[in-house]
Amino acid sequence: MQTVSMNRRQFLKSSIIAATLAANGRLPLLAAETGSGLSIDASTGPYALKPIRDYLSRFSPAEPHQDKWQQYTLTYDIIHWSWAKGKRGTYANSVIGQVVIKRKSKNDRVMYNISQQTQIGGVNNVIDAQIISNADDLSSLRSWRLRSYERGLNSEKDRLSELTEQGTCQGGNIHIESGNYLYEYEARNHVVSQWTIPDILIQKASPKLDTKFDLLQDLSLFKPNQHLVYDGQTVVKCKGGQRVTLQTFAQIGQAILPIHYLIDAQGRPQLITSSILSLALSGQTNAM
Amino acid sequence: MSSQKPNIVFVHVDQLHHKAISAYGCKYVQTPNIDRIIRQGYSFMESYCAMPQCCPARASWFTGRMSKEHGVVVNSYPIDPKIPDLGQWLKKVGYETVHTGKWHVSGRNVADSFKVLHRGSGHGELGDSSVARSAVAYLKNRTGKEPFFLSVGFLNPHDCCFPASIDGGPGKFAFAPKIKEKLPPLPENFDNDYRKTGMSKIRNWSLEDWRYYIYGYYRMVEMVDAEVGRVYDAIRNGPYADNTLFILTSDHGDGLGFHAKVSKGYLEEEASRVPAIVCWPGKIKQNVQDTQHLVSGVDFAATICDYAGAPPLPKTTIARSWRPLLEGKENKWRDYIVCETSIGQLSVCVRDLRFKSIIYKDSTRLFDIRNDPLEMKDLAGDPKYAAVIRRHRENFREYLSRIEIYPGPPDFAKHITRPGIQGRNRANIRARNPQNNLYEEYVNWYAKVKAES
């Protein structure tokens, strides 16, 4: 069996998290793995990894990176769960796209650039977004611009699919406009995007994390009352039998299936699993 | 109504249980967007699909014909190629016909009938946002001056089929103890007796697994609710607000633990009853939940043709336009509706405003839906209700005298093989086994019932 090398700092950080958990009376080591003994999940491994069981045999954690958490670029593969060759009761994963999250901060704001491409429905679905967030604990959304379009297999952009939306969030009032229409939502909590949640964990992850927010998925779909909380440790069996232990955070809330963020000793979400869709960290740079 | 033809937006979701909407009283789900459409629109509460499986139900929406008329009697059986669909039909009266997302009418290429914006995905979590985005972008970018008929097909909550698989698919069932206080209770009619007739590998779930399945299902409903709201907002807050009829429904329901079942294909309420909401503020009645009119999935085609100023689709034997009801005009309505299935046992249900019979080849079950909406007490053996059963049998015969029964193509086996999903449903087993010819089976049964008179 292979093991992942861990430097002293990483080891200490993991140990501190584990010690804090023990002090809180929680038993994290197997908590994320076993669940209910009577569940149909009893033999399917850790629930946080269930949607990517097949992919894990090809997954190696992204290498540790020099800490420059004010400015970084994370690249995630987008993993799709499906039947294996259309056979019910089996499962397979494939990579159907990538999302690149670039982050930098300046004074009272944090800026994110998002570039996402997925192959769905026989076309490339492209999303480019620029987000300006507040420099608060949740990097709550302040303003954004999102452009999406489809590109066919011949690489031609489909003009009819092009959509640009601009939005703001002030005092809980979300306004989104796109040329000939406007829509609004009223938020009761800080508002975040799914693309900025990894940064929340990078900046703030700890076993004490227990936070509520409203989600603006794709900067368009309002999903209020989200709850993000520490959920123990998960042992991940990766490519070649290598095992790594990742700290696990769970998000539950309206209009989402439980999402698990599995973070490494540097605080980076290496894996983010939902149900049909999951993300796996494939690279990191400091460049913007 | 102005002389200008209205735009028509037909939004359909997949496998939405008729009760899984907060505006209809469900405490375990939040559907603020569908709730808003309900408040601004007209809900038919006594609404049934033509057949509780994807392809047959969808073929009925788009042709106005029952499943044994259009030929899509289960998912893999193709549509009778001679029958026109709404896309083709409305083009003839000047509509731009556009479709995005799930289509799933076997044997009919959607691109032959509609301009296709996006093909979606077999998974709602993956494709529904792209489908909604394509619809919103179309509304923003279209340049045509003609009225449009936009069909938008969302997948969710159909993703529930994957955690319902043998090993729970991608479902995180073992997470359930962590959110125990959030898990909905089991339905009142969660009935262990159904385990005897259900699919045993699914029924190995613990009770907590069942509750987690229901929890996940409600989240999938909320996911699609957000997408529906996005399309609805683009209509109501944009340039097409005043002249657009908006329709929302589902192809069929889901077991959702009712009678300890998941999935669809059977005639109990959880699978066959569906939401049906029509909305056009200022033009049709608002905030109505109509419990007095029985409606069917075939009626969508008749209603859409009526509002589009098109003649009814040919040979629509059962379908009726809802327009008089929606606009509050006096109307003599039907006394009963029929829903059919070819999954498992061939059967039909006859529903009047109070009772529902589920009629099999050799038996009948009877439920007092008004007083027993969860179908917990079969009244068929009670002599007090013999007249109801006789009346429903007569309704069934009358129904059969009205529909034009499709005998199937001459060489049926050639038409019903569908590579890639072998073993996935019974239809394919039949397809490989010529003695199980569904066409022949229902043609013979229906002929026998008609001969009773």
Side-chain angles (χ1 to χ4, degrees):
Chain A
M1 186 192 303
Q2 295 182 15
T3 53
V4 171
S5 63
M6 194 182 264
N7 64 30
R8 185 169 177 275
R9 183 175 171 278
Q10 289 171 312
F11 174 78
L12 284 173
K13 187 168 177 181
S14 274
S15 301
I16 290 165
I17 288 174
T20 309
L21 281 163
N24 289 343
R26 299 178 69 174
L27 299 171
L29 285 173
L30 294 175
E33 288 192 64
T34 54
S36 162
L38 298 175
S39 166
I40 57 170
D41 270 3
S43 61
T44 55
Y47 56 72
L49 302 173
K50 200 174 170 200
I52 53 169
R53 279 177 284 170
D54 172 44
Y55 176 78
L56 287 176
S57 65
R58 305 185 290 279
F59 171 71
S60 297
E63 290 295 315
H65 199 268
Q66 185 185 355
D67 289 356
K68 280 194 178 176
W69 296 120
Q70 301 308 304
Q71 179 173 308
Y72 62 77
T73 298
L74 298 178
T75 302
Y76 285 94
D77 286 341
I78 300 174
I79 315 296
H80 179 210
W81 178 94
S82 193
W83 307 114
K85 297 179 183 174
K87 290 181 181 172
R88 184 176 177 158
T90 58
Y91 56 88
N93 295 125
S94 56
V95 176
I96 57 158
Q98 279 197 327
V99 57
V100 179
I101 302 169
K102 296 181 178 180
R103 189 249 197 216
K104 64 180 178 182
S105 60
K106 189 177 179 183
N107 301 327
D108 66 338
R109 60 179 60 181
V110 184
M111 286 152 288
Y112 301 91
N113 271 282
I114 312 299
S115 177
Q116 178 175 295
Q117 292 202 38
T118 46
Q119 288 196 339
I120 305 169
V123 294
N124 288 316
N125 300 261
V126 181
I127 290 178
D128 294 315
Q130 296 79 46
I131 301 170
I132 296 175
S133 291
N134 298 306
D136 54 29
D137 281 355
L138 289 173
S139 286
S140 59
L141 299 182
R142 186 188 292 188
S143 63
W144 59 90
R145 182 177 185 276
L146 182 145
R147 187 173 71 114
S148 63
Y149 56 90
E150 294 160 26
R151 199 182 280 284
L153 296 178
N154 57 6
S155 289
E156 275 188 27
K157 189 192 291 184
D158 178 357
R159 186 203 60 80
L160 203 55
S161 71
E162 193 158 3
L163 184 64
T164 302
E165 294 182 312
Q166 295 179 91
T168 59
C169 180
Q170 291 180 331
N173 296 310
I174 301 169
H175 297 263
I176 304 172
E177 62 171 290
S178 179
N180 62 3
Y181 71 93
L182 166 76
Y183 56 107
E184 298 171 303
Y185 303 111
E186 197 172 316
R188 292 184 180 167
N189 301 299
H190 284 307
V191 181
V192 308
S193 151
Q194 81 266 31
W195 295 307
T196 61
I197 294 175
D199 193 41
I200 297 173
L201 292 166
I202 287 170
Q203 308 295 335
K204 303 288 178 190
S206 95
K208 290 182 180 171
L209 183 70
D210 184 344
T211 188
K212 292 189 173 162
F213 54 84
D214 292 345
L215 177 67
L216 194 63
Q217 187 174 309
D218 295 347
L219 301 169
S220 311
L221 299 163
F222 185 58
K223 301 188 171 183
N225 302 321
Q226 305 294 314
H227 188 193
L228 180 65
V229 65
Y230 185 69
D231 191 33
Q233 290 182 326
T234 302
V235 178
V236 184
K237 189 177 171 187
C238 310
K239 185 178 178 181
Q242 165 188 337
R243 287 175 188 268
V244 292
T245 299
L246 299 175
Q247 307 300 327
T248 308
F249 293 80
Q251 180 189 341
I252 60 168
Q254 188 172 316
I256 63 155
L257 290 162
I259 299 171
H260 289 88
Y261 301 84
L262 295 101
I263 70 171
D264 62 17
Q266 289 193 303
R268 300 174 305 175
Q270 288 272 358
L271 297 164
I272 303 171
T273 68
S274 176
S275 178
I276 301 295
L277 289 177
S278 298
L279 301 179
L281 185 63
S282 57
Q284 179 186 355
T285 65
N286 283 338
M288 280 299 286
Chain B
M1 190 190 302
S2 70
S3 58
Q4 191 189 355
K5 287 187 174 186
N7 305 304
I8 300 167
V9 177
F10 180 40
V11 175
H12 33 97
V13 301
D14 197 321
Q15 207 152 324
L16 177 58
H17 188 284
H18 67 284
K19 284 182 180 287
I21 294 174
S22 44
Y24 293 159
C26 182
K27 293 184 289 186
Y28 312 105
V29 68
Q30 296 296 323
T31 50
N33 297 288
I34 296 175
D35 292 358
R36 186 157 41 102
I37 297 166
I38 287 169
R39 282 195 303 275
Q40 295 178 5
Y42 191 113
S43 296
F44 289 99
M45 306 305 286
E46 309 291 339
S47 161
Y48 290 80
C49 60
M51 182 182 146
Q53 196 187 25
C54 298
C55 297
R58 288 160 186 271
S60 291
W61 290 338
F62 288 106
T63 65
R65 309 199 74 184
M66 299 296 289
S67 70
K68 305 302 188 291
E69 296 183 295
H70 56 56
V72 188
V73 294
V74 288
N75 273 353
S76 58
Y77 277 49
I79 192 168
D80 177 355
K82 297 188 295 294
I83 296 181
D85 61 56
L86 274 175
Q88 299 162 350
W89 201 246
L90 296 187
K91 267 185 202 169
K92 291 182 180 175
V93 294
Y95 272 77
E96 181 180 33
T97 60
V98 184
H99 177 85
T100 184
K102 178 163 177 171
W103 166 246
H104 216 190
V105 176
S106 359
R108 179 73 43 99
N109 182 350
V110 61
D112 292 342
S113 305
F114 292 85
K115 174 181 178 54
V116 179
L117 302 177
H118 200 289
R119 297 220 174 231
S121 154
H123 296 119
E125 187 181 335
L126 175 59
D128 280 353
S129 286
S130 295
V131 169
R133 195 165 282 283
S134 72
V136 173
Y138 164 76
L139 294 167
K140 179 171 179 284
N141 296 326
R142 71 183 295 266
T143 53
K145 299 297 177 199
E146 65 272 49
F148 60 83
F149 171 53
L150 172 61
S151 162
V152 183
F154 291 120
L155 246 294
N156 259 329
H158 181 276
D159 282 0
C160 66
C161 291
F162 308 111
S165 68
I166 292 166
D167 70 346
K172 297 171 176 172
F173 286 84
F175 185 57
K178 300 286 185 74
I179 53 170
K180 204 163 191 169
E181 78 288 355
K182 295 190 182 298
L183 301 180
L186 294 168
E188 200 181 330
N189 64 359
F190 184 87
D191 177 357
N192 286 342
D193 287 346
Y194 274 80
R195 293 182 177 195
K196 294 173 186 168
T197 54
M199 288 181 278
S200 60
K201 285 177 181 170
I202 287 177
R203 311 302 152 153
N204 286 338
W205 290 359
S206 69
L207 294 182
E208 199 166 64
D209 287 339
W210 274 103
R211 292 175 64 198
Y212 186 76
Y213 172 83
I214 298 168
Y215 170 86
Y217 179 89
Y218 284 138
R219 304 293 79 75
M220 293 172 199
V221 173
E222 291 169 347
M223 288 159 83
V224 81
D225 173 77
E227 307 291 357
V228 169
R230 185 151 161 65
V231 176
Y232 188 70
D233 277 335
I235 296 289
R236 292 287 172 244
N237 299 339
Y240 303 110
D242 295 336
N243 198 35
T244 301
L245 178 75
F246 188 95
I247 300 171
L248 175 65
T249 192
S250 177
D251 50 0
H252 49 73
D254 179 70
L256 194 54
F258 287 67
H259 295 116
K261 287 188 173 195
V262 296
S263 198
K264 62 273 187 178
Y266 40 90
L267 294 174
E268 280 87 346
E269 297 285 271
E270 51 269 23
S272 59
R273 196 164 176 162
V274 289
I277 308 156
V278 187
C279 176
W280 192 0
K283 303 289 186 184
I284 65 175
K285 295 167 83 175
Q286 292 190 54
N287 204 16
V288 175
Q289 294 187 17
D290 181 343
T291 57
Q292 297 305 310
H293 298 94
L294 295 155
V295 301
S296 164
V298 293
D299 295 339
F300 289 103
T303 306
I304 288 167
C305 286
D306 191 353
Y307 275 102
L313 280 152
K315 298 182 179 178
T316 45
T317 57
I318 304 297
R320 293 191 60 178
S321 170
W322 300 338
R323 190 168 175 180
L325 307 176
L326 297 168
E327 296 178 2
K329 293 172 184 162
E330 283 295 317
N331 197 274
K332 173 79 175 81
W333 201 246
R334 56 168 70 104
D335 296 324
Y336 69 93
I337 56 164
V338 170
C339 177
E340 302 170 300
T341 190
S342 315
I343 310 282
Q345 290 188 69
L346 204 60
S347 49
V348 300
C349 87
V350 176
R351 168 76 208 276
D352 63 32
L353 276 175
R354 179 171 169 189
F355 293 102
K356 173 174 147 186
S357 289
I358 301 179
I359 303 171
Y360 306 91
K361 281 187 196 170
D362 53 5
S363 63
T364 298
R365 292 192 294 154
L366 178 71
F367 298 97
D368 182 345
I369 297 294
R370 275 285 151 91
N371 296 304
D372 176 25
L374 295 175
E375 297 167 295
M376 295 171 76
K377 188 175 181 188
D378 180 1
L379 303 171
D382 187 337
K384 210 163 59 174
Y385 297 100
V388 178
I389 290 179
R390 279 197 301 276
R391 189 175 73 237
H392 282 182
R393 190 79 180 179
E394 184 59 37
N395 294 150
F396 182 25
R397 280 195 293 272
E398 188 208 35
Y399 165 79
L400 293 177
S401 72
R402 289 168 62 194
I403 64 170
E404 185 183 64
I405 299 169
Y406 179 59
D411 181 5
F412 85 95
K414 192 176 77 181
H415 293 263
I416 54 179
T417 48
R418 194 173 157 206
I421 61 163
Q422 282 84 359
R424 193 169 169 192
N425 61 39
R426 292 181 177 87
N428 281 293
I429 294 166
R430 287 192 172 96
R432 292 195 299 273
N433 194 354
Q435 64 265 35
N436 290 324
N437 177 347
L438 269 180
Y439 300 122
E440 193 178 85
E441 197 176 341
Y442 70 72
V443 166
N444 288 344
W445 183 39
Y446 284 4
K448 194 175 166 190
V449 173
K450 280 170 85 172
E452 287 173 2
S453 54

